Amino acid sequence: MKRRDFFVKGALGVVATGLLPVVANASPEIIDNASNDRLKDNWLNVATGKKGIPVRKQSLNFDVAVIGAGIAGIAAAVSAARNGAKTILIQDRPVLGGNASSEMRVTVNGAPQERETGIIEEILIENWVHNQQESYPVWDHVLYNYVVREPNLELMLNTQAVDAVMDGDEIKSAICWGLTNETEFTINAKQFIDCSGDGLLAAIAGAEYRTGREGKDEFNESYAPDKADGWKMGDCIMMISKDMGRPMPFKAPAYAIPFDHENAFKDKHRRIKHLKEGFWWIEVSSEFDNIALREENRHKLMAHFYGVWDHIKNSGDFPEAENIVLDWIGSIPGRRESRRFMGDYILNQNDILEGSHFEDAIGFGGWSLDEHNPGGIENLKEPASYFHQKSKNIYEVPYGILYSKNISNLSFAGRNASLTHIALSSTRIIATCALMGQAVGTGAAICLQKGINPRELRKKHINELQEQLLRDDVFIPNRPAADAKDLARKASLIMGSSTLSGDAKLLVDGVSRDRGEEIHHWEADGLNVNLQLEWEKPVKISKVELKGDTNVLRKMMMHKNPQKNIQNKQVLDVPPELIKTASVEARVKGQWVEVAKIDENITRVMKTSFDQVKTTAIRVKLKETWGYKNAKLYEIRCYS
């Protein structure tokens, strides 16, 4: 085994990034100087009168290590933990959420055709429970609560993976540096998932990756440049403004770059359409190595932004800006693209536009091919984004793009997946990345159960991964659920006490949402209604699971500009259609016995567990919703 010789010795001290209370509260130990790296540490503990060297190294063992806690990383870690893997989530910032956090404030967009469910929907609904004021700092803590309450999951903030210990083509350990606790952590795990965007751990481990734009010929992509080049979509910073109700002056900082509005405004996408939030077209990238130039580009972005704002405030062309001030402006750029790690498949433009079918599909996307001008605001001769083409329908995302082709126990999710540059222009959207994260987290847990790695999972056990994702409320196009263990599918009779639309029998057809005119639900007439399943012979049941309605055609994300909530006709609360209160009963020896209750439910998938009963019938009583007049379900499952 060896550590990749990626950093020169001593570089750890300048890497940004750990918070683990066990070290912060530890008593000083007197140890042998010869075995410690901090040979010059001159510490006197006045309580003991002794000198010593602080212990700043720890070795920790986990099943799954997830690097990067953006939305994709959160989904990966939570899904791995829920499926039985002892998991650690490592984040190099003080807050969770990545581009969606309060540090960058990128909207959690998804497929415009129909919304994603699963973990990403759970997070969005929970945010409306705790954060109807749409505060980004509060959103950070909603995410924090969502992660730290998971019983099989540990979190390390302000910590970055900076090196890898390898054994052949496997990662054995990630060497991590904690900035706030000055500690080097060795994280030992069986499966590693890099959701960090830039993918430093994956790169150090030797995973094959590429950057830049492929030429037309490599994948026959009509929207690719004629010849390959090194350009990538740019980074940008966002802002939020405030109306002060009185004229407010603005003086630009000394480093502001004057805005070339005459050339910029020739492109309709660079127009100043509002003054409430940031301008996505203020972006900067690099032709070669935008990771190395991160700080230089950050400074350029701030300079260009203030140049644009100076024009808005002081040119006289925007009188509506007279009372407007900057209330918040990002200091950390949101990044669209850097490394793309190579898997056993590379998703490309044609897969997205032609709707390629994949036997290993694990989720979907639907955003347009939204390739931003890689030169950004420094290239005003081209449009801010090419907006090449919209996908009429959602498209399948395959598992084969989510693990490394040459590092056997490494997966990834998010913008660093195995994609062409053109494909990335669609899949980079945050909710799409969340589906990738839930897939690789679930996949890692199954790999542990079977003692295999992701490639073998794809080749031999992809059906099991898909079934678990479907059970956990991920929608996979063209892949109905068909879980042989689901006893509801074997019921001789499924009936509702009333039916307004759909049919109770549809709740076991394997499709947990309506598709256009194709109905897959049962809607009762009113509330306090019953759904009953009967079996000809007694069955043993200990779990009943339901999928309710959240209206996947209605948007759910939080916006920097509240006006967009009105435009989208959003509900700033728990979806009113969702079941709030219900109970489950089993018929035992001819008598109905209550075995489970559902109270104050805020998730589309409702899982109940109870002591196993031998029964010939299950009855679900649907009592309350969060406001809708009828009870509506898309699925029921029963397990022994």
Side-chain angles (χ1 to χ4, degrees), residues 70-87:
I71 301 299
I74 291 172
V78 169
S79 60
R82 287 180 178 177
N83 282 283
K86 182 183 178 184
T87 304

Side-chain angles (χ1 to χ4, degrees), residues 266-292:
K266 291 177 181 178
D267 173 25
K268 63 179 180 179
H269 299 302
R270 289 195 182 96
R271 304 289 171 80
I272 307 296
K273 298 177 181 179
H274 61 81
L275 301 174
K276 181 60 183 175
E277 55 181 317
F279 310 109
W280 56 263
W281 45 263
I282 303 178
E283 56 184 312
V284 173
S285 187
S286 312
E287 188 172 7
F288 177 56
D289 189 352
N290 63 337
I291 295 175

Side-chain angles (χ1 to χ4, degrees), residues 65 67 192-197 199-203 341 410-413 416:
I67 313 300
F192 289 84
I193 304 174
D194 196 325
C195 299
S196 64
L200 177 58
L201 177 72
F341 290 91
L410 173 65
S411 301
F412 27 73
N416 62 357

